[in-house]
Coordinates of all heavy atoms in Angstrom, one line a residue:
Chain B
E109 N 0.5 -6.5 -8.1 CA -0.3 -5.5 -8.8 C 0.0 -4.1 -8.3 O 0.1 -3.1 -9.1 CB -1.8 -5.9 -8.5 CG -2.8 -5.1 -9.2 CD -3.1 -5.6 -10.5 OE1 -2.4 -6.4 -11.1 OE2 -4.1 -5.1 -11.1
V110 N 0.3 -3.9 -7.0 CA 0.6 -2.6 -6.4 C 1.9 -2.1 -7.1 O 2.0 -0.9 -7.5 CB 0.7 -2.7 -4.9 CG1 1.3 -1.4 -4.3 CG2 -0.7 -3.0 -4.3
F111 N 2.9 -3.0 -7.2 CA 4.2 -2.6 -7.8 C 4.0 -2.3 -9.3 O 4.6 -1.4 -9.8 CB 5.2 -3.7 -7.6 CG 5.8 -3.7 -6.2 CD1 5.2 -4.3 -5.1 CD2 7.0 -3.0 -6.0 CE1 5.8 -4.2 -3.9 CE2 7.6 -2.9 -4.8 CZ 7.0 -3.5 -3.7
R112 N 3.1 -3.1 -9.9 CA 2.9 -2.9 -11.4 C 2.2 -1.6 -11.7 O 2.7 -0.8 -12.5 CB 2.1 -4.1 -12.0 CG 2.1 -4.1 -13.5 CD 1.2 -5.2 -14.0 NE -0.2 -5.0 -13.5 CZ -1.1 -4.1 -13.9 NH1 -0.7 -3.2 -14.9 NH2 -2.3 -4.0 -13.4
I113 N 1.2 -1.3 -10.9 CA 0.4 0.0 -11.1 C 1.3 1.2 -10.9 O 1.2 2.2 -11.5 CB -0.9 0.0 -10.3 CG1 -1.9 -1.1 -10.8 CG2 -1.5 1.3 -10.3 CD1 -3.1 -1.3 -9.8
S114 N 2.2 1.0 -9.9 CA 3.1 2.2 -9.5 C 4.2 2.3 -10.5 O 4.9 3.3 -10.5 CB 3.7 1.9 -8.2 OG 2.7 1.6 -7.2
G115 N 4.4 1.3 -11.4 CA 5.5 1.4 -12.4 C 6.8 1.0 -11.7 O 7.8 1.1 -12.4
F116 N 6.7 0.5 -10.5 CA 8.0 0.1 -9.8 C 8.6 -1.2 -10.4 O 9.7 -1.5 -10.2 CB 7.8 0.0 -8.3 CG 7.7 1.3 -7.6 CD1 7.4 2.4 -8.2 CD2 8.1 1.4 -6.2 CE1 7.4 3.7 -7.6 CE2 8.1 2.6 -5.6 CZ 7.7 3.7 -6.2
D117 N 7.7 -2.0 -11.0 CA 8.2 -3.2 -11.6 C 9.2 -2.9 -12.7 O 10.0 -3.8 -13.1 CB 7.1 -4.1 -12.1 CG 6.2 -3.4 -13.2 OD1 6.2 -2.1 -13.2 OD2 5.5 -4.0 -14.0
R118 N 9.3 -1.7 -13.2 CA 10.2 -1.3 -14.3 C 11.5 -0.8 -13.7 O 12.5 -0.7 -14.5 CB 9.6 -0.3 -15.2 CG 8.4 -0.9 -16.0 CD 8.0 -0.1 -17.2 NE 7.4 1.2 -16.8 CZ 6.1 1.3 -16.6 NH1 5.3 0.4 -16.7 NH2 5.7 2.5 -16.2
I119 N 11.6 -0.5 -12.4 CA 12.9 0.1 -11.9 C 13.5 -0.9 -10.8 O 14.6 -0.7 -10.4 CB 12.7 1.5 -11.3 CG1 11.6 1.6 -10.3 CG2 12.6 2.5 -12.4 CD1 11.6 2.9 -9.5
I120 N 12.7 -1.8 -10.4 CA 13.2 -2.7 -9.3 C 13.1 -4.2 -9.8 O 12.1 -4.5 -10.5 CB 12.5 -2.4 -8.0 CG1 13.2 -3.1 -6.8 CG2 11.0 -2.9 -8.0 CD1 12.9 -2.4 -5.5
T121 N 14.1 -5.0 -9.5 CA 14.1 -6.4 -10.0 C 13.1 -7.2 -9.1 O 13.3 -7.2 -7.9 CB 15.5 -6.9 -9.9 OG1 16.3 -6.0 -10.6 CG2 15.5 -8.3 -10.6
I122 N 12.2 -7.8 -9.7 CA 11.2 -8.7 -9.0 C 11.2 -10.1 -9.6 O 11.2 -10.2 -10.8 CB 9.8 -8.1 -9.1 CG1 9.7 -6.6 -8.5 CG2 8.7 -9.0 -8.4 CD1 8.4 -5.9 -8.7
R123 N 11.4 -11.1 -8.7 CA 11.4 -12.5 -9.2 C 10.3 -13.3 -8.5 O 9.9 -12.9 -7.4 CB 12.8 -13.1 -8.9 CG 14.0 -12.5 -9.7 CD 13.9 -13.0 -11.1 NE 15.1 -12.5 -11.9 CZ 15.1 -11.4 -12.6 NH1 14.1 -10.7 -12.7 NH2 16.2 -11.1 -13.3
K124 N 10.0 -14.3 -9.2 CA 8.9 -15.2 -8.7 C 9.3 -15.9 -7.4 O 8.6 -16.0 -6.4 CB 8.5 -16.2 -9.7 CG 7.7 -15.6 -10.9 CD 6.2 -15.4 -10.5 CE 5.5 -14.7 -11.7 NZ 4.4 -13.9 -11.2
S125 N 10.6 -16.5 -7.5 CA 11.0 -17.3 -6.4 C 12.2 -16.8 -5.7 O 13.0 -16.0 -6.2 CB 11.3 -18.7 -6.9 OG 12.4 -18.7 -7.7
R126 N 12.5 -17.3 -4.5 CA 13.7 -17.0 -3.7 C 14.9 -17.4 -4.5 O 15.9 -16.6 -4.6 CB 13.6 -17.7 -2.4 CG 14.9 -17.7 -1.6 CD 15.0 -16.4 -0.7 NE 14.1 -16.5 0.4 CZ 14.4 -17.0 1.6 NH1 15.6 -17.4 1.9 NH2 13.5 -17.0 2.5
D127 N 14.9 -18.6 -5.1 CA 16.1 -19.1 -5.8 C 16.4 -18.2 -7.0 O 17.6 -17.8 -7.2 CB 15.8 -20.5 -6.4 CG 15.9 -21.6 -5.3 OD1 16.5 -21.2 -4.2 OD2 15.5 -22.7 -5.5
S128 N 15.4 -17.8 -7.7 CA 15.6 -16.9 -8.9 C 16.1 -15.5 -8.4 O 16.9 -14.9 -9.0 CB 14.3 -16.8 -9.7 OG 14.3 -15.7 -10.4
A129 N 15.6 -15.1 -7.2 CA 16.1 -13.8 -6.6 C 17.6 -13.9 -6.3 O 18.3 -12.9 -6.5 CB 15.2 -13.4 -5.4
L130 N 17.9 -15.0 -5.7 CA 19.4 -15.2 -5.3 C 20.3 -15.2 -6.6 O 21.3 -14.5 -6.5 CB 19.5 -16.6 -4.6 CG 19.2 -16.6 -3.1 CD1 19.0 -18.0 -2.6 CD2 20.2 -15.8 -2.3
D131 N 19.8 -15.8 -7.7 CA 20.6 -15.7 -8.9 C 20.7 -14.3 -9.4 O 21.8 -13.8 -9.8 CB 19.9 -16.5 -10.0 CG 20.0 -18.0 -9.8 OD1 20.8 -18.4 -9.0 OD2 19.2 -18.8 -10.4
A132 N 19.6 -13.5 -9.3 CA 19.6 -12.1 -9.8 C 20.4 -11.2 -8.9 O 21.1 -10.3 -9.5 CB 18.1 -11.6 -9.9
V133 N 20.4 -11.4 -7.6 CA 21.1 -10.5 -6.7 C 22.7 -10.7 -6.8 O 23.4 -9.8 -6.6 CB 20.6 -10.6 -5.3 CG1 21.2 -11.7 -4.5 CG2 20.7 -9.2 -4.6
T134 N 23.1 -12.0 -7.1 CA 24.5 -12.2 -7.1 C 25.1 -12.4 -8.5 O 26.3 -12.5 -8.7 CB 24.8 -13.5 -6.3 OG1 24.0 -14.6 -6.9 CG2 24.5 -13.4 -4.9

Side-chain angles (χ1 to χ4, degrees):
Chain B
E109 186 85 346
V110 170
F111 278 85
R112 192 187 57 73
I113 292 171
S114 310
F116 280 26
D117 57 337
R118 293 193 292 269
I119 52 168
I120 195 157
T121 309
I122 301 174
R123 291 286 185 268
K124 288 280 177 208
S125 69
R126 169 88 71 95
D127 282 348
S128 156
L130 278 166
D131 289 344
V133 84
T134 55

